[in-house]
Amino acid sequence: VTLSIGGKSYEEYCDLKSSGADRFLIRFETSNEKLYRELHPGETLKERLNDIYNIKKAGFELGSGFMAGLPGEKDGDLDRNLDLLKDLGVHMIGVGPFIPAPGTPLESFSPPSVDLIISIYARMRLMMPDVNLAATTAMDALHTGVRALSFDAGANVLMPNITPQEAQADYNLYTRKGK
């Protein structure tokens, strides 16, 4: 059983683990503290990382990652994101490109280039050769066929969208979401 339910207390993580869950997905989004606070008002990167450490301490297999190409990223943020993933000792990585959403404060920003995303996958594979590296559905929202290119760059996990057709309108994180 894999959970992706956000931050909880250490005791809650332990209860979930003892109830049969064995994997937990929780992304840190960015290693840039200032940018994290801007994207998550009222939260801190330190709190998110504490959640991640508690998830590992509770005995879960850990999946984490970041959003690539975020507006406001600074030089060196990508390197720090990759170093943080390695330092966390994650078992699975999910990195998705920033996809601007209509009606949000970031709608006028452009998504990252396909070349940047593919280079990130290649770097992750070289840095962490044994990690499960997911080619997320967001990749095809960036540009059709990019998710397939992710496998050429080192991805080894396919995450299909199996949301029933009748429920897809209720789960629209971004336009052009891949299948």
Side-chain angles (χ1 to χ4, degrees):
V1 174
T2 302
L3 301 175
S4 182
I5 56 173
K8 304 291 176 201
S9 70
Y10 174 69
E11 292 76 20
E12 289 172 304
Y13 293 133
C14 290
D15 288 344
L16 292 164
K17 179 70 174 145
S18 67
S19 296
D22 54 359
R23 294 182 181 107
F24 206 107
L25 304 176
I26 186 167
R27 295 195 327 181
F28 58 84
E29 303 299 351
T30 178
S31 60
N32 179 320
E33 175 70 44
K34 181 177 183 284
L35 183 55
Y36 187 92
R37 283 193 314 269
E38 290 172 8
L39 296 171
H40 301 275
E43 299 177 29
T44 67
L45 177 61
K46 182 179 179 181
E47 291 167 335
R48 176 51 62 117
L49 293 177
N50 188 58
D51 289 333
I52 292 171
Y53 294 127
N54 281 335
I55 289 164
K56 281 196 74 173
K57 184 176 169 186
F60 283 95
E61 187 174 313
L62 176 63
S64 194
F66 60 92
M67 193 176 304
L70 280 169
E73 280 184 333
K74 304 293 182 212
D75 288 343
D77 283 350
L78 174 58
D79 291 337
R80 283 186 288 279
N81 290 342
L82 294 171
D83 288 343
L84 180 55
L85 279 173
K86 190 169 184 176
D87 291 346
L88 290 171
V90 298
H91 302 94
M92 182 172 139
I93 299 173
V95 171
F98 163 74
I99 305 292
T104 68
L106 301 178
E107 71 181 333
S108 64
F109 290 89
S110 297
S113 71
V114 170
D115 289 342
L116 173 67
I117 298 302
I118 296 304
S119 71
I120 290 170
Y121 272 70
R123 287 180 64 188
M124 287 187 295
R125 177 53 64 213
L126 291 171
M127 287 177 71
M128 295 163 273
D130 297 325
V131 75
N132 289 317
L133 182 54
T136 63
T137 58
M139 300 300 278
D140 278 340
L142 182 63
H143 190 279
T144 302
V146 173
R147 187 165 43 159
L149 293 175
S150 303
F151 288 99
D152 293 337
N156 62 347
V157 175
L158 177 64
M159 297 180 69
N161 176 5
I162 59 170
T163 305
Q165 186 72 32
E166 63 273 10
Q168 286 184 6
D170 297 330
Y171 184 69
N172 192 18
L173 294 178
Y174 36 79
T175 57
R176 296 178 46 214
K177 184 171 182 168
K179 299 266 184 213

